[in-house]
Amino acid sequence: MGKNKIDAIGVLTPGGDAPGMNTAIRAVVRTAIFHNLRVYGIHKGWHGLITGQINPMDIKSVGGIINRGGTILHTHRCPEFRDPKLRAVAYKNLDEYGIDGVVVIGGDGSLAAANIVAKETDFHMVHIPASIDNDISCTDYTIGFDTAVNTALDAVDKIRDTAASHERVFVIEVMGRKHGILALEVGLVCGAEEIIIPEAKFNINKIADKINEGRERGKTSFIIVVAEGAISGAEFGKKLQKKLKRIKVRVSVLGHIQRGGSPTAISRELACKMGAKAVESIIAHRGSVMMAARSEYICAVPFKEVLKKKKRADLDHLRLAEMLSI
Ligand code: F6P
């Protein structure tokens, strides 16, 4: 399966960006050059592959980006990639540039699309999981997750200062699409009094009682981290304010700030290792595989295996956070 001789590879970053994508692009480009391959940057994700926005990359084109957030290749949500006719155009473009293998750096949507390409063609497809949501199975972490957790943590710590000064309750909405993995991690490490995630039910009366009891004990601030996939911060804030007569509730939506910024050391390390291993997996004809972080090792896991499983928030972490935030 797959093209026999590897002369050139392409790299793209479809879907939502994540801090560390640039570090991964750098690793892919430099590893490819080290192994005497030509390497092409495909701009704006799958959309750029369809429209032929493909440019050669060299050592210099990835200089000075190891620490930069976002993606120099830009990105684009591309529902039109579902159209087989447009995918045929994309495949023709890959052939025109003599590209034999493609490294796709992105989230679960990009993985699903890469799997379709792998099934329909003989291009070597490798996926590098990069998403602030950390919602991809078979890997402990995705590139960008640690950075987003730290960005959110920094914001919550600051909000805690003003919450304590005014003796208020703050509801803080965190991203994560339909998963609570990011919110749970942020809630645990910021010492949130409550964490609301789609994977667990909440009882607004019990939460209000806990806040009232805490206030009687002299607790000044309450932080409630809400995953956007569970309920909007605004809606939760309204429900809670109705139950709390004497305590003011404020809502803060962290939003896209969580997707930006310079990647942390952990996000960069993952990106360096996964980027290099992705290219070497193509050269070694490993098939359609995703790079996966397990303990401190990077493994190559077949697409089939990754797509079979669903990652879920670890409810033991929720219990731990509850126990520690009384
Ligand atoms: O998947 C990453 C993510 O940031 C999610 O956490 C969020 O729900 C979504 O992307 C937002 O997407 P967009 O920037 O397209 O609104």
Side-chain angles (χ1 to χ4, degrees):
M1 284 287 288
K3 310 211 176 218
N4 282 333
K5 192 162 176 303
I6 312 293
D7 290 318
I9 62 160
V11 55
L12 72 164
T13 53
D17 60 348
M21 277 185 165
N22 280 330
T23 318
I25 295 168
R26 171 182 176 271
V28 167
V29 170
R30 295 215 168 148
T31 307
I33 292 169
F34 179 84
H35 289 288
N36 297 315
L37 303 180
R38 283 180 290 120
V39 53
Y40 293 93
I42 300 160
H43 292 253
K44 299 194 184 171
W46 303 114
H47 173 77
L49 192 52
I50 294 168
T51 52
Q53 298 181 63
I54 302 171
N55 293 305
M57 298 184 87
D58 57 19
I59 293 176
K60 262 174 133 184
S61 48
V62 290
I65 65 165
I66 194 167
N67 57 337
R68 274 171 57 193
T71 162
I72 58 159
L73 291 177
H74 296 195
T75 180
H76 201 89
R77 301 273 187 209
C78 183
E80 62 269 27
F81 201 66
R82 291 201 191 100
D83 181 346
K85 283 199 206 98
L86 293 178
R87 287 204 300 278
V89 176
Y91 304 155
K92 201 164 148 272
N93 282 333
L94 286 174
D95 274 333
E96 244 164 51
Y97 284 84
I99 294 173
D100 311 296
V102 182
V103 179
V104 183
I105 307 171
D108 56 352
S110 316
L111 172 65
N115 186 43
I116 293 174
V117 179
K119 281 187 177 159
E120 291 180 341
T121 69
D122 59 358
F123 296 110
H124 296 262
M125 299 301 293
V126 173
H127 186 259
I128 296 181
S131 162
I132 64 164
D133 303 338
N134 197 27
D135 56 351
I136 298 177
S137 76
C138 298
T139 184
D140 297 344
Y141 296 108
T142 51
I143 294 169
F145 175 68
D146 181 68
T147 309
V149 169
N150 278 288
T151 301
L153 176 62
D154 182 50
V156 178
D157 284 349
K158 287 176 175 145
I159 291 172
R160 176 84 80 175
D161 291 343
T162 176
S165 307
H166 286 262
E167 303 189 358
R168 283 172 172 168
V169 172
F170 261 87
V171 174
I172 301 171
E173 185 188 300
V174 168
M175 275 188 171
R177 211 178 283 277
K178 45 187 199 310
H179 296 270
I181 299 166
L182 178 60
L184 183 52
E185 185 71 12
V186 172
L188 175 67
V189 297
C190 77
E193 277 69 22
E194 286 292 335
I195 305 170
I196 310 297
I197 54 172
E199 294 85 349
K201 290 205 169 97
F202 68 87
N203 179 323
I204 201 83
N205 290 321
K206 275 196 185 155
I207 295 172
D209 288 348
K210 185 176 167 186
I211 293 170
N212 284 325
E213 275 164 30
R215 181 52 51 86
E216 273 164 33
R217 273 190 284 125
K219 224 169 156 19
T220 51
S221 64
F222 291 89
I223 298 291
I224 304 179
V225 170
V226 173
E228 64 173 354
I231 181 171
S232 79
E235 197 185 336
F236 185 87
K238 246 192 227 157
K239 278 186 198 286
L240 188 61
Q241 187 66 86
K242 273 195 198 143
K243 305 279 169 191
L244 294 174
K245 300 284 175 265
R246 291 187 306 276
I247 306 173
K248 283 218 169 81
V249 177
R250 290 286 186 267
V251 177
S252 186
V253 179
L254 297 188
H256 288 80
I257 193 174
Q258 295 159 102
R259 281 226 306 250
S262 181
T264 58
I266 289 178
S267 291
R268 292 187 206 190
E269 188 187 338
L270 270 186
C272 289
K273 290 180 176 173
M274 287 182 172
K277 185 144 184 153
V279 175
E280 287 173 348
S281 294
I282 292 178
I283 295 169
H285 289 212
R286 290 233 162 79
S288 320
V289 286
M290 186 189 84
M291 300 297 103
R294 295 198 177 153
S295 306
E296 68 219 67
Y297 299 103
I298 303 297
C299 316
V301 185
F303 283 178
K304 256 201 314 211
E305 207 178 302
V306 183
L307 291 164
K308 222 164 47 192
K309 295 181 191 148
K310 293 255 171 291
K311 193 180 226 177
R312 279 178 60 83
D314 185 346
L315 295 183
D316 278 344
H317 285 181
L318 191 59
R319 283 187 281 275
L320 173 64
E322 261 170 36
M323 184 172 81
L324 301 183
S325 67
I326 44 171

